[in-house]
Amino acid sequence: MTEATTAAVAPAPEPEIGSLHHLCRLLAEAAEAVADASRYASELALGARPARGARGGARRTLLRTITDPKGLGWAPRGRGLARIGWLAGVFTSRENLAVSLAVTGLKARIRAAAVTHPELLRDPDTARVLGAVQRDRQREAVRVFRSILAAKGAERTFARLAPVFADLLAWNALTDENPLNDGAGWEIATGRTLTGAEPVLGVSGRVWAFLDRGPGRAEPLVPSPALAERLDTSGTIAGYVRNIGAVGTDGTLLVQQVSGPDGVQRYVVQLAGMSGVSGKSPQDLLGAVHAVARPATPYSRAVAQALRRLIPSGCELALVGHSLGGITAMNLAADRDFCGIHQVTHVVAIGSPVDGKRPADPRTRVYSLVNEHDVVPALEGRSPVSAYALPEQFTEFTWTDDTHAFPLCHAAERYAHNLEHAVPEASARVDADLAPFRGRVTAARFFRLYDR
């Protein structure tokens, strides 16, 4: 083979992740600017009282700007007649410049994730999905995804696509013919986290809040001797996660009272994840969906009630939660009333979608621990390989292990194993910061949590 021929078939170099992430952010900013320009043009052209300069020929020019396939397109967040035009564009799959820019940014994010996770392109199944996305073939991508689900099962499909799952949801929301989920797709594509609706069907957070209205209730619980004996008292983050796994997801809350190295009594609140589709526990599926978008849920209210009964005002707390428990920990830390009673010094969220939430107290330290093949942390719209940095209060540790099956890779027991064996440096960092909470466990209290 000649040198020229060799050069012709040599594989192209992988793109640089930092450059791709920079491009993602620029495209998101451009998409926002075009959306604003389109909305302004729509208001001028279609307002009941056209503004000066938007009459006659100028008005016709503006109408062409928003209706011509090569123009700005209808405003993604327009009002009145502009919104009707936008809805018509969604239903007829009409091109929109702002959305096209946002989608291009999502494609760049997906490509950046594939550099970090080359298995996405090496695996023929995931490569087919991503290939359809890159070619703007929405129906083909959905068909391929469904065929993989049928052939390989949800367990492996979700785990394999986890690094790009949020971006895929946003891309699908912006390119499908469902106008209800466009807002969620737009939030993800422009670097925000979900606040209004989820990106699959577009069901509003208000609907989840209406359906999940329980006041929350907590009752003291006497644990079984077997559970009491299994409790880890080492004061390590891996030990707390093991405790969460031992407590289970049936609505049980564990609070350990610790006499720290300085003799001060502190408390470690350990919050378990989702229990199932439905039940009397506030940890059901409805509560989980509600907690992602809204800060106050029956779960958070039940925990707050338990802690008011147990912990003196002003004491230092560390909130440690897995999955839905991590979301609830952040919801409590974001509650000014709760933080007015308790001093939340640390939040540790394990396998939880918490990146869009912010503590009420700027002194609260937040740790997010994420297996990159766990799809749950991406459900709020930010993946663990995101182009967007977290605030200074947050420290995020991510890793991959050889378990690419969901929900096994999401299990509390698996996270405890990873913290001890796969990422001991992350455990050491968190343990060092939680040093004031390491000491003699003077009491372990349990509560049963209820919706009502």
Side-chain angles (χ1 to χ4, degrees), residues 369-444:
L369 310 177
V370 177
N371 173 1
E372 291 182 11
H373 283 278
D374 178 4
V375 72
V376 172
L379 294 180
E380 53 137 14
R382 184 184 182 275
S383 75
V385 290
S386 174
Y388 294 90
L390 288 168
E392 289 185 3
Q393 281 175 278
F394 281 66
T395 301
E396 183 179 60
F397 291 105
T398 70
W399 65 88
T400 60
D401 67 4
D402 56 2
T403 303
H404 292 179
F406 180 85
L408 179 58
C409 67
H410 178 64
E413 294 81 359
R414 188 66 192 176
Y415 268 96
H417 174 84
N418 284 169
L419 288 166
E420 289 185 322
H421 302 288
V423 283
E425 66 283 357
S427 297
R429 172 77 177 275
V430 177
D431 289 344
D433 206 20
L434 288 173
F437 291 85
R438 295 190 71 175
R440 184 171 59 89
V441 176
T442 57

Side-chain angles (χ1 to χ4, degrees), residues 211-219 249-252 273-288 297-300 302-303 324 447-452:
L211 295 173
D212 194 35
R213 291 179 293 171
R217 180 166 59 90
E219 298 293 343
T249 58
D250 63 350
T252 301
M274 194 180 81
S275 59
V277 175
S278 62
K280 295 181 180 179
S281 164
Q283 296 165 231
D284 59 7
L285 177 61
L286 177 60
T297 67
Y299 192 1
S300 65
V303 172
L324 172 57
F447 291 84
R448 179 74 73 198
L449 306 179
Y450 299 93
D451 251 327
R452 302 180 183 279

Side-chain angles (χ1 to χ4, degrees), residues 138-191:
Q138 195 260 351
R139 289 184 176 85
E140 179 184 338
V142 172
R143 186 174 63 253
V144 171
F145 179 74
R146 288 175 177 170
S147 69
I148 298 171
L149 280 177
K152 302 294 177 66
E155 295 85 357
R156 295 203 170 275
T157 304
F158 285 124
R160 289 180 180 183
L161 288 170
V164 294
F165 194 71
D167 300 326
L168 291 176
L169 288 180
W171 171 81
N172 181 69
L174 291 173
T175 56
D176 66 9
E177 295 174 0
N178 175 10
L180 298 179
N181 60 7
D182 281 34
W186 189 263
E187 286 181 330
I188 297 172
T190 52

